[in-house]
């Protein structure tokens, strides 16, 4: 499938712990983007990492990209209850097509 | 603040009705998109537009049409709604930069459409 896989499908952690979500894909990419979706709402862009980058940070978020393994991970450090949401990766291919995964549902327990 | 608005948060229609979903962005973005989101399937692109009056089919255009008469407005039309079009519909916009259409996308809040 062009969509690739997100792993895990669901994750439940205690507040203050770190959360790691993974995204794997099959075709080469131009960039990879991570989005957050709160329940029943639209998506919010978090980070974009280009194919020639290996790591990016934004506040408590850290994204890594390993193009040799065709995978990316999103790390949220010191999680808060407000981080409870679904997280999606979206892969931009060289043909200028963007494919979203099915998401990881993160629950942070206060 | 960047803003994408959609005309309705919730909509209930009957089979066979013509349905209009409106999306407006205030960022002067060239690109606008319509997605549908279903459990277990993620987001799937229905149509996108890269300029006024220009449109291209996405992955699942069947049963839908679009209209972009003004840069800030992109409409999704269900010519004859069917129950399998019950879904969450998300509109998004983005800048065209360096030949890349899919830079950071800004999403609207979504319209949850139920077709009875």
């Amino acid at each position: 499938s062009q969509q690739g896989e997100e792993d895990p499908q669901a994750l439940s952690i205690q507040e203050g712990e770190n959360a790691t979500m993974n995204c794997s894909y099959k075709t080469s990419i131009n960039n990879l983007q991570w989005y957050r979706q709160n329940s029943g709402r639209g998506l919010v862009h978090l980070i974009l990492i280009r194919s020639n980058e290996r790591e990016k940070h934004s506040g408590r978020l850290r994204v890594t990209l390993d193009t040799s393994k065709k995978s990316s991970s999103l790390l949220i450090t010191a999680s808060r209850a407000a981080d409870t949401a679904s997280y999606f990766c979206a892969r931009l291919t060289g043909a200028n097509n963007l494919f979203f995964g099915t998401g990881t549902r993160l629950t942070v327990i206060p | 603040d960047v803003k994408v608005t959609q005309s309705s948060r919730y909509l209930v229609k009957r089979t066979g009705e013509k349905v209009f979903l409106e999306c407006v962005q205030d960022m002067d973005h060239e690109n606008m998109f319509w997605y549908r989101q279903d459990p277990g399937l993620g987001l799937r692109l229905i149509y996108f537009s890269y300029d006024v009056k220009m449109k291209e089919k996405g992955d699942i255009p069947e049963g839908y049409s679009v209209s972009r008469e003004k840069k800030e407005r992109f409409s999704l039309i269900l010519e004859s709604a069917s129950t399998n079009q019950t879904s969450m519909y998300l509109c998004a916009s983005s800048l065209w930069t360096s030949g890349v259409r899919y830079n950071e996308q800004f999403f609207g809040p979504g319209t949850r459409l139920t077709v009875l």
Side-chain angles (χ1 to χ4, degrees):
Chain A
S1 160
Q2 287 272 26
Q3 292 185 342
E5 300 289 335
E6 276 150 321
D7 166 51
Q9 288 188 321
L11 180 61
S12 186
I13 60 174
Q14 295 288 331
E15 200 165 31
E17 293 181 341
N18 296 340
T20 300
M21 288 157 271
N22 303 296
C23 171
S24 62
Y25 55 93
K26 296 180 180 179
T27 59
S28 61
I29 61 169
N30 181 305
N31 68 51
L32 188 142
Q33 305 171 33
W34 285 91
Y35 290 82
R36 183 187 75 231
Q37 183 180 36
N38 291 97
S39 181
R41 311 293 291 185
L43 278 71
V44 174
H45 183 268
L46 297 175
I47 289 186
L48 182 154
I49 186 165
R50 303 187 195 286
S51 59
N52 61 354
E53 297 175 317
R54 292 296 166 258
E55 190 169 311
K56 276 189 101 166
H57 296 257
S58 177
R60 294 182 297 112
L61 306 180
R62 173 179 167 246
V63 168
T64 60
L65 179 64
D66 186 335
T67 52
S68 66
K69 294 182 179 177
K70 291 187 167 57
S71 69
S72 174
S73 67
L74 170 67
L75 169 67
I76 304 174
T77 59
S79 64
R80 304 167 182 167
D83 294 328
T84 294
S86 292
Y87 291 82
F88 294 86
C89 70
R91 298 158 290 278
L92 178 66
T93 69
N96 228 358
N97 294 313
L98 188 69
F99 296 100
F100 283 84
T102 54
T104 293
R105 175 70 191 164
L106 172 67
T107 302
V108 180
I109 302 165
Chain B
D1 247 5
V2 158
K3 203 163 184 185
V4 179
T5 56
Q6 294 183 229
S7 50
S8 306
R9 289 284 284 125
Y10 300 94
L11 208 52
V12 179
K13 295 291 182 181
R14 297 209 172 272
T15 301
E17 280 193 78
K18 191 168 186 175
V19 182
F20 293 87
L21 302 181
E22 302 282 333
C23 175
V24 178
Q25 51 97 3
D26 64 0
M27 298 159 282
D28 202 34
H29 284 172
E30 296 87 357
N31 305 307
M32 296 188 74
F33 310 85
W34 275 106
Y35 294 90
R36 64 177 282 178
Q37 183 178 25
D38 301 287
L41 296 176
L43 273 74
R44 293 180 292 167
L45 181 64
I46 305 171
Y47 267 97
F48 66 91
S49 169
Y50 52 89
D51 201 351
V52 174
K53 297 191 186 295
M54 306 304 287
K55 61 185 179 185
E56 284 194 27
K57 293 179 181 179
D59 302 318
I60 50 163
E62 296 79 18
Y64 303 95
S65 62
V66 290
S67 172
R68 192 162 181 204
E69 297 296 319
K70 293 184 178 181
K71 190 175 185 180
E72 68 270 18
R73 188 178 298 268
F74 192 35
S75 302
L76 180 69
I77 303 153
L78 286 66
E79 295 290 343
S80 178
S82 63
T83 54
N84 63 13
Q85 292 178 310
T86 291
S87 186
M88 169 74 103
Y89 289 87
L90 293 163
C91 174
S93 71
S94 72
L95 270 174
W96 181 286
T97 306
S98 303
V100 175
R101 178 183 302 128
Y102 294 98
N103 293 296
E104 175 184 358
Q105 295 200 356
F106 295 87
F107 282 82
T111 295
R112 189 165 292 281
L113 172 67
T114 302
V115 182
L116 301 175

